[in-house]
Amino acid sequence: MPQIKHGFKIPLMRPVVDEEMLQAALYSLQNEKLVMGESVFKFEEEFARYCGSRYAVSTGSGTAALQIALQSMQIGPNDEVVTTPFSFFATSNAVIHAGAQPRFADVEDNGFNLDPAKVEPRLTPKTRVIIPVHLYGQPARMNEFRDLAEDKEIIIVEDACQAHGAEYEGRRVGSLGHIACFSFYTSKNMTVCGDGGMIVTNDEDVADAARSFRDCGRASKYTMSRIGYTSRLNTVNAAIGRVQLRKLDTWNKTRRRVADLYRKALEGAPGIMLPPAETPKETPVYHLFVVRSTRRDQLAAHLEKNGVEAAIHYPVPIHLQTPYREKYGYSEGLFPIAERLAGQVLSLPIHPASTEEEVHTVSRLVRESTTE
Ligand SMILES: Cc1ncc(COP(=O)(O)O)c(C=O)c1O
């Protein structure tokens, strides 16, 4: 099977394209409508069932899923959405695309996710939504967000773009808020071998609105009920997604085993902080295995020099990105923990084909760098 080459001996991630996916793609291309073919609806049905939710609506990307989810709840101008500044910037871009105002709250001291205690003071009478992000595949503290939202008519939208299959208190992400959004971009725990996204909800009205928004705002073939987008998932991608979904749990199990190997190999490594330990309440899926180091840049350079691909997710918190500084006047110091993380985090290679030998090589190099 051809593998995508990155030029590294040990790549950060390795998308899977196997024979079964190729056959599914071929069958779909030869037998189905290329847009809105049967595989799209089957994939949606299977994905909703996987998450333990009633409806799933596929979209052209995770960003589109977030934007359409918000618009399907009639979130727009004059509404505020509280989220984390330490995420991929699509999370808050989607809020702006929907016409609403993002308001950031800082992240946890000992983790990577939005901190419920810091969200509370950021709530105003205009707050309609909180978007916790299950960053790196680590479930956010959903109970606390639900408690905050209760009585205030605030909606919880999960950004589960990095957390397919993660569980919180025995329930899969995607079923923990009012709506959840997923991305199938090629680096994710499961992909559609191209761009794609999914909105998951138990709310029938939201699902109906989302189906219309993603399909030009249609009410029927040539009538429309809203100003929509062309943001459908192509049939061939849905066909591949169905195959990947069946493999997701096995892949996630492997990721957890790889994370475990890293934990053992890196325990006590000087200057290295490991990601939060698993608890009986949370089952992470390690989209990324992220360590923290105050000498992060030297560590990254040492790994690169030795053929290991590491990456920084994310070197600049969203509020310090140029368009956000310009639009909202943000500056350094507003969200100190997010800013500190941006200078310390490093993602080590992890994917379903990671081997024990690779983990040991990477861990040895990490230790070597910290004792230099
Ligand atoms: C946390 C998070 N939110 C949103 C997105 C946006 O997804 P997409 O790239 O499919 O638009 C991504 C992924 O790239 C993500 O990681």
Side-chain angles (χ1 to χ4, degrees), residues 59-66 84 86-92 94 131-136 159-163 181-188 194-198 287-288 313-314:
T59 57
S61 70
T63 309
L66 283 161
T84 166
F86 195 63
S87 177
F88 182 55
F89 36 67
T91 306
S92 54
I131 308 183
V133 180
H134 307 300
L135 199 70
Y136 310 150
D159 181 337
C161 287
Q162 301 190 0
C181 297
F182 292 83
S183 162
F184 300 119
Y185 178 69
T186 57
S187 62
K188 304 303 188 207
D195 277 314
M198 194 76 86
H287 170 56
L288 297 165
H313 301 93
Y314 297 93

Side-chain angles (χ1 to χ4, degrees), residues 49-266:
R49 199 176 320 129
Y50 179 83
C51 293
S53 284
R54 282 168 62 197
Y55 309 102
V57 180
S58 57
T59 57
S61 70
T63 309
L66 283 161
Q67 180 186 346
I68 289 174
L70 293 171
Q71 290 187 294
S72 299
M73 293 293 312
Q74 285 145 24
I75 306 300
N78 297 320
D79 296 329
E80 292 179 356
V81 176
V82 178
T83 190
T84 166
F86 195 63
S87 177
F88 182 55
F89 36 67
T91 306
S92 54
N93 287 353
V95 175
I96 298 170
H97 289 315
Q101 297 292 314
R103 278 175 70 84
F104 296 114
D106 211 349
V107 294
E108 305 157 328
D109 269 323
N110 53 354
F112 308 108
N113 284 329
L114 187 62
D115 186 343
K118 294 183 189 116
V119 167
E120 191 161 18
R122 305 287 291 159
L123 302 178
T124 75
K126 289 183 171 181
T127 309
R128 302 247 349 250
V129 179
I130 300 171
I131 308 183
V133 180
H134 307 300
L135 199 70
Y136 310 150
Q138 305 261 359
R141 284 148 60 189
M142 292 304 293
N143 273 354
E144 290 166 66
F145 289 116
R146 275 198 299 259
D147 288 349
L148 272 182
E150 227 171 42
D151 306 330
K152 294 197 183 75
E153 293 189 29
I154 292 175
I155 300 157
I156 306 280
V157 176
E158 294 173 77
D159 181 337
C161 287
Q162 301 190 0
H164 317 64
E167 289 178 22
Y168 180 82
E169 296 191 328
R171 284 169 59 197
R172 289 211 171 107
V173 304
S175 64
L176 304 169
H178 198 87
I179 313 179
C181 297
F182 292 83
S183 162
F184 300 119
Y185 178 69
T186 57
S187 62
K188 304 303 188 207
N189 286 30
M190 66 161 287
T191 81
V192 293
C193 293
D195 277 314
M198 194 76 86
I199 298 166
V200 176
T201 185
N202 282 328
D203 185 327
E204 190 175 7
D205 294 338
V206 167
D208 285 344
R211 272 187 215 104
S212 168
F213 266 121
R214 62 113 184 249
D215 190 19
C216 311
R218 280 196 164 98
S220 66
K221 192 165 169 60
Y222 290 119
T223 62
M224 54 190 271
S225 45
R226 47 183 61 76
I227 309 290
Y229 312 97
T230 301
S231 185
R232 299 167 294 234
L233 182 65
N234 290 317
T235 309
V236 63
N237 296 108
I240 295 170
R242 292 184 69 205
V243 179
Q244 295 228 354
L245 181 60
R246 292 199 287 273
K247 298 174 191 263
L248 177 63
D249 282 345
T250 309
W251 289 341
N252 282 343
K253 222 162 127 189
T254 309
R255 284 176 183 271
R256 277 195 291 275
R257 196 166 48 76
V258 172
D260 225 41
L261 290 171
Y262 270 127
R263 274 188 201 285
K264 288 192 180 108
L266 289 173

Side-chain angles (χ1 to χ4, degrees), residues 318-353:
I318 304 174
H319 65 288
L320 298 181
Q321 297 282 354
T322 304
Y324 282 80
R325 285 180 187 264
E326 287 175 358
K327 191 171 167 67
Y328 300 106
Y330 290 131
S331 58
E332 279 81 2
L334 286 173
F335 306 106
I337 300 173
E339 291 169 29
R340 192 181 329 133
L341 284 177
Q344 295 184 345
V345 290
L346 189 69
S347 308
L348 303 181
I350 189 164
H351 50 80

